[in-house]
Amino acid sequence: MAILEVKNISKRFGATVVLRDISFSMEQGQSMAIIGSSGSGKTTLLRCLNFLERPEKGKIIVGGQLLLDAEDPATQKESEIRRKRLHFGLVFQAFHLFPQYTALQNVALAMELLDREQPNYRKNAKEIDAHTREKALALLEQMGLSDKTGLYPHELSGGQQQRVAIARALALRPDVLCFDEPTSALDPELTGEVLKVIRNLAQQRTTMVIVTHEMAFARDVADRVIFMDEGVIVEEGPAHEVIDNPRQERTRQFLSRYSG
């Protein structure tokens, strides 16, 4: 069974159609890279997956469970949207860390908020908080930041901030981890450390959707690649085939601007 099924997602802003009948599916542990020019709809697609935008048409299914049917209001209740977002983790272009919190606090915050909704929280608060702290520390260690836990965002480099953001997205154990051009806000010398983390997650078979402009990275790390243009999927297939031997002329034109 596919872990993620996206069926005929369409989205418009006013008279502008941004997504047109987008459909794809992913298996557990797969990495999907989405490439395309600016304005092709890549970020809007991620925002639809994370319920930050509502499509006018289409369905989103995770693990066989229908999370969204754009034509069925019963699947769009505001009271349930927060719970549905937990199926996805999203790492933004800009890190969006809370400046008043340390790296550890940024990672632990969402877990702590969920903990407090547990019926037994008041009775076992100290034990639950300690367990959450351990999980947050383990995630930061996984990101290579075990010595940065007490630092605030302004004390971290851009690459370190993005790695904290990745740890935060992983904290709630999402079914699908989404990246929206995770290196676009970084200096070139900091890009490698973030790509290394994502590469390691791929090797651990973390299910990921990665919007990226790093073509060599997409080819070498992703299992499959989608090329989008003007709101539609122009080409989809195994990463090496799409990047190295694209079938569609529009894909070839796009990739001709990149080397490596």
Side-chain angles (χ1 to χ4, degrees):
M1 179 186 295
I3 186 63
L4 173 63
E5 297 173 83
V6 176
K7 298 185 176 182
N8 304 114
I9 290 292
S10 295
K11 174 67 181 175
R12 67 171 64 239
F13 293 107
T16 304
V17 178
V18 182
L19 299 174
R20 296 179 176 87
D21 290 319
I22 299 294
S23 297
F24 65 90
S25 64
M26 295 178 63
E27 301 297 323
Q28 181 81 42
Q30 274 193 329
S31 296
M32 175 84 76
I34 302 179
I35 62 174
S37 301
S38 177
S40 60
K42 307 183 302 297
T43 293
T44 300
L45 176 58
L46 285 192
R47 290 178 63 83
C48 286
L49 290 180
N50 285 269
F51 299 94
L52 298 174
E53 300 287 354
R54 306 290 176 85
E56 286 80 34
K57 175 186 172 186
K59 298 178 181 180
I60 298 172
I61 302 167
V62 175
Q65 177 186 357
L66 178 64
L67 297 188
L68 175 74
D69 181 343
E71 299 177 31
D72 182 1
T75 67
Q76 302 176 55
K77 295 178 181 177
E78 288 294 337
S79 59
E80 296 182 6
I81 291 301
R82 179 169 173 265
R83 176 181 57 81
K84 291 179 178 182
R85 283 195 183 116
L86 297 178
H87 291 279
F88 297 90
L90 178 57
V91 179
F92 298 91
Q93 295 180 33
F95 324 120
H96 293 313
L97 299 179
F98 294 107
Q100 72 273 31
Y101 294 146
T102 64
L104 179 60
Q105 291 168 330
N106 266 282
V107 175
L109 181 61
M111 291 188 288
E112 291 172 347
L113 292 174
L114 282 182
D115 288 344
R116 290 166 191 168
E117 295 179 3
Q118 296 182 26
N120 64 337
Y121 178 74
R122 292 192 177 212
K123 181 178 179 181
N124 302 304
K126 186 175 291 187
E127 179 181 343
I128 292 172
D129 287 348
H131 183 57
T132 294
R133 177 184 170 85
E134 287 178 9
K135 289 192 290 186
L137 286 169
L139 283 168
L140 287 171
E141 182 177 2
Q142 182 182 348
M143 297 297 116
L145 295 171
S146 56
D147 60 337
K148 309 294 183 184
T149 60
L151 298 185
Y152 291 87
H154 74 273
E155 299 175 299
L156 301 171
S157 70
Q160 291 166 345
Q161 290 183 60
Q162 190 63 297
R163 283 185 281 159
V164 173
I166 295 171
R168 180 178 61 183
L170 286 168
L172 298 180
R173 301 177 64 85
D175 293 299
V176 182
L177 183 60
C178 302
F179 293 89
D180 186 11
E181 297 194 6
T183 61
S184 64
L186 299 177
D187 294 332
E189 63 266 26
L190 299 177
T191 295
E193 63 188 59
V194 173
L195 294 181
K196 180 180 178 181
V197 166
I198 301 174
R199 189 185 300 272
N200 288 340
L201 291 172
Q203 291 171 349
Q204 295 165 20
R205 307 308 294 169
T206 303
T207 308
M208 296 186 289
V209 177
I210 310 164
V211 170
T212 183
H213 58 273
E214 302 281 348
M215 295 303 115
F217 177 77
R219 179 191 60 208
D220 296 339
V221 173
D223 298 298
R224 298 185 67 78
V225 164
I226 285 174
F227 169 60
M228 291 181 62
D229 187 52
E230 296 185 348
V232 302
I233 294 177
V234 174
E235 187 162 350
E236 176 186 357
H240 277 270
E241 290 184 15
V242 174
I243 300 293
D244 293 335
N245 298 291
R247 300 186 304 273
Q248 302 299 321
E249 177 60 27
R250 180 66 188 93
T251 314
R252 288 193 287 270
Q253 291 173 357
F254 172 78
L255 290 171
S256 68
R257 293 181 288 167
Y258 295 88
S259 61

